[in-house]
Amino acid sequence: MPYAQQNPYYGMQPAYPAPPMQPPAGVAGSKGGINVPGMLPIEESYIENILRLNKGKLVEVFTTFENNREWNAKIFKGVIEAAGRDHLILSDPQTGNRYLIPMVYVDYVIFSEPIDYEYHFPGTVARYAPR
């Protein structure tokens, strides 16, 4: 049996037109944010990139763990060792402990010194596959 006879919707037009394709913000000719040379592009200013730029700095990370009877909120203090899309690794210089903190629990971060928001090498931007 031919496909057209099996599928009653074969050849029908959609009820509404598809939206026009637009280039991402910051691309020449597009609407949206403007990228400043040396700064994180707006579409790449994710928390993990900012934390990665500040590797080695002392921070306080405020976290919330829902439905936890022992402690609902906790503050981790330490030096940023690494940051990924879904995690942050801190080391506590006083105890030597290392913490792997899932980003989903991170509420905010306090830095004890100025925050780096620029790449130190012109044209260097972290590139990752879309989520």
Side-chain angles (χ1 to χ4, degrees):
M1 179 179 252
Y3 182 76
Q5 291 176 350
Q6 290 177 342
N7 185 348
Y9 302 107
Y10 179 79
M12 291 182 68
Q13 296 295 320
Y16 52 90
M21 295 297 289
Q22 299 216 359
V27 174
S30 70
K31 298 176 185 173
I34 298 172
N35 292 331
V36 178
M39 298 289 285
L40 283 170
I42 290 172
E43 64 275 4
E44 295 188 19
S45 62
Y46 296 110
I47 291 172
E48 67 264 18
N49 288 342
I50 297 166
L51 291 169
R52 212 175 281 120
L53 283 171
N54 290 279
K55 184 178 174 181
K57 292 188 179 179
L58 185 63
V59 294
E60 292 180 76
V61 179
F62 291 75
T63 58
T64 305
F65 302 89
E66 294 183 28
N67 301 318
N68 187 324
R69 293 192 175 146
E70 289 183 43
W71 34 265
N72 181 274
K74 187 168 176 71
I75 301 170
F76 294 91
K77 295 180 184 181
V79 174
I80 299 172
E81 287 200 0
R85 287 184 177 174
D86 65 346
H87 67 278
L88 171 63
I89 299 174
L90 295 182
S91 61
D92 185 337
Q94 294 180 345
T95 65
N97 289 337
R98 287 185 169 68
Y99 303 103
L100 174 61
I101 306 166
M103 287 289 201
V104 69
Y105 299 122
V106 174
D107 294 324
Y108 62 96
V109 178
I110 293 180
F111 289 80
S112 58
E113 57 188 292
I115 298 172
D116 284 331
Y117 198 74
E118 297 180 15
Y119 285 97
H120 299 289
F121 306 104
T124 306
V125 176
R127 300 277 183 213
Y128 297 97
R131 295 176 186 203

